[in-house]
Amino acid sequence: MEIDAAREVRTTCPYCGVGCGVLAKIAADGQVSVRGDPDHPANFGRLCSKGSALAETINLDGRLLHPQIHDRPAGWNEALDLVASTFRHTIAEHGPDAVAFYVSGQLLTEDYYLANKLMKGFVGSANIDTNSRLCMASSVAGHRRAFGSDTVPGTYEDLELADLIVLVGSNLAWCHPVLYQRIAAAREKRPEMKVVLVDPRRTMTSDIADMHLAIAPDGDVALFTGLLAWLGQHNALERAYITAHTAGFGQALFAASTLDLAGVAAATGLSEDQLSRFYSLFARTEKTVTVYSQGVNQSSQGTDKVNAIINCHLATGRIGKAGAGPFSVTGQPNAMGGREVGGMANMLAAHMDIENPGHRERVQRFWKAPAIAGEPGLKAVEMFKAVADGRIKALWIMATNPVDSMPDAGAVEAAIKACPFVVVSDVLAETDTVRHAHVRLPATAWGEKDGTVTNSERRISRQRPFLAAPGEARPDWWIIAEVARRMGFGEAFAHESPVEIFAEHAALSGFENDGERDFDISAYAAIDVEDYEGLAPFHWPAPSPGTPLWPAGRPEGGAQARLQSEGGAQAGTRPEGATSIERQPTRFFADGNFYTPDRKARFIALRPTVETRITAAFPLVLNTGRIRDHWHTMTRTGKSPRLSQHIAEPFVEIHPEDAQLYGIGDADIARVSTPRGDVLVRVLVTTRQRPGSLFAPMHWTDQFAARGRLDTLTASLTDPVSGQPALKHVAARIEKFTAGAFGFAVTRKRPVTMAADYWATARCRGGWRVELAFTNDDIDWTAFAGSLFDAADAEMLAYHDREAGQHRIAAFQGEHLAGALFIAPGPVAVSRGWAAEQLGEVHASQRERFRIVAGRAGAERPDAGATVCSCFNIGVNQITAAVAAGCNSVEAIGATLKAGTNCGSCRSEIRTIIQARRVQAAE
């Protein structure tokens, strides 16, 4: 492919686990635009706000373009030699467990495969773990306990075929918007479809819910264990399925029966009436899909939560059928691919088990490896504790930012700083993790990478390059292979292209499989360059011709395939050779044939426990999470002006009752504290938040805020089975930060240093916007503005009312605004969107310049208000005005303003604005 030619390239979105197809169009002048791929079966042309803005994130601002050693430029040979020799010498002196890799769901499958192969098969340690440990490790553990394998039974199509969708701990509208829109579209066609939301918060996903169960933190095990008991008491069990295809039901039902409805109500904070209505709805609805995400996984009871859900589906036989089954949706674009290659510390490649001697011998023989890890390695939290205490002496971090995303992040940062040798492969030159690396290796980014990813429904898709690699950036697989060669493993890492790695990965999946393992894509073991380039999205399994689709040791009479396609027909169509053929979507387990020794699923007997973590000193529960337009630690979304306008600073949600109790008002700055530290965040008072709880997003880092690293507050408490940290149930307290002055600024240049107690920056078109707060107001504001704008030759225009505490300063370079600063004794009441727009305007006249100092647009330019629709830059005031003019539906707003007509992520907010206007009109 000619990288420099005008073209349109089919690729895959690099954000969440939905795995949307993207068409990247490169014009003759090099300009890039993106749109959803209408032919990709994950999204059928839909993209969320983040996917729609991908073209704004591919610039080279802040990119790491050359290798560095101890902050100085270095050549690739010098850097690779140092990494290889240091790891080799550390292993020789201290043993293989003295080194570790911490990798990422951002890696492509080919990258992941080589990293896992190097560590487990050639270093001989299982000390490789991934940030997916923070995302879906409890789902993996729950699947393996119940099914004997990490198998997602269903497909996205089930969301459209279901009559009941239960969303548990999932803000699908913001975190997986395309799936949310698929459900919304299906419901418009079938209004009888029901949706239940189980979440402590009334999130934007509640917009689609018929029932919202505002459950107490970690009440999910009690909720679903109570459901199992209720199903048993009301004769709502599928006895034939239980008898033929499961084991352990009696023990599970007995354990569940110790909890009556009143006990479930006490453990969940729900009323008995709410429970009865939900249980009855579940019992009578055959086509039920239970979708769950981080609210389930990120818990010290995460694995039990997963199994509590699965227990109910096994008990009703609602698994592997069209429109029925438990469904884990993942948070990263290739968390599933990482699971396939064994990229976690307690897994082997190709869904084989590290605890199984036969599996270890098989993988070692296939790889022709000198050693194979004999036991599970250190999971993420354990790994960084081992870095801290000196057991791990050399650490390689790839494509992730643990200084911000790990729990007890302050301790993690201290551990990395103290580690004798740290290597970081990344795309950015400055992140909170990269700054502590001894060796920095420039990796290729989305748009430059070439490989595959697997989404939440087991669909493998291609990420294709449409940009040339900048500077000396190299693919992660190439970097790993070069280090492996220098460590003496050249023959096993002689790959020259990603297709060779993918073919090896596919071959291992079918090696001595014969239908005994779920993951099998051996139909692609002989794939060549041409077929790899044209590879269409496909579901696994895709075994080679002649391989059975059911276990060789299936029970007597179990002649049905373990896979079903739509309509219940046996899935037997296989790709021929190494071609790219999409089959009917496949589902697992409708007819049993699980991956346990007796081919029966396992019920897990669960007795719910109620954990109380709050204390007199820390009386609130902190729940951490994500927002609509940002993702992870903002290394990509933070580059987009469009995505940075919806929510531009770290914040905390608090219920009005709690806000009144603690003397905190809307838009105040608050200090949120736990025993591990504190952050400063903006306050949002809302009834969407459960009383007694706080919610704050985890995205902000030292690159974007003064004290916004939320995971410095969370504890290193983990699920005992999965090792996944509990990030959504943290004892905390809140207090008002007493500010002497508040500020807001826009500036063409990104501020380097700010002498403010609170600050948060966000990119906008033409520059940056900055929120500020100061303990004292005795500051030379003109000097502060000059330092903030970094515009020494600018013409300054200022207004000062010292008695009122009001100061407004604007700086102009020629006819353009270099920056504007607004200071007030309370939160600054200036239109952020309008002020940011002024950076791109021409200001030739004094009247226009005084208008900026005044902080308001003229009557001919009404204030759009805070951004609601990022795709079309539509603000709340515009939507409110349209409602007042007669637009009384989301569709009418879309027809008038276009808001909500692209990705649809803002439709819930638009509906909320319409409803609020109706309430005001009624009053």
Side-chain angles (χ1 to χ4, degrees), residues 28 98 131 253 270 357 379 497 540-541 591 684 695 709 729 757 848 906:
N131 61 8
L253 186 61
L270 304 172
K379 299 168 185 173
S497 67
W540 63 257
D591 295 297
L684 175 61
F695 171 82
R709 289 172 54 211
H729 188 174
D757 299 280
E848 291 169 336
C906 62

Side-chain angles (χ1 to χ4, degrees), residues 101-158:
F101 293 171
Y102 186 65
V103 297
S104 166
Q106 293 292 288
L107 294 176
L108 303 186
T109 297
E110 292 77 3
D111 309 324
Y112 242 137
Y113 179 85
L114 285 196
N116 185 59
K117 178 180 178 180
L118 174 57
M119 179 56 76
K120 289 186 180 143
F122 290 80
V123 171
S125 170
N127 280 350
I128 174 172
D129 211 46
T130 166
N131 61 8
S132 296
R133 180 70 59 188
L134 315 179
C135 172
M136 34 44 61
S138 291
S139 288
V140 174
H143 288 162
R144 293 175 74 182
R145 285 207 301 189
F147 307 147
S149 60
D150 177 23
T151 310
V152 175
T155 71
Y156 292 161
E157 184 183 51
D158 295 326

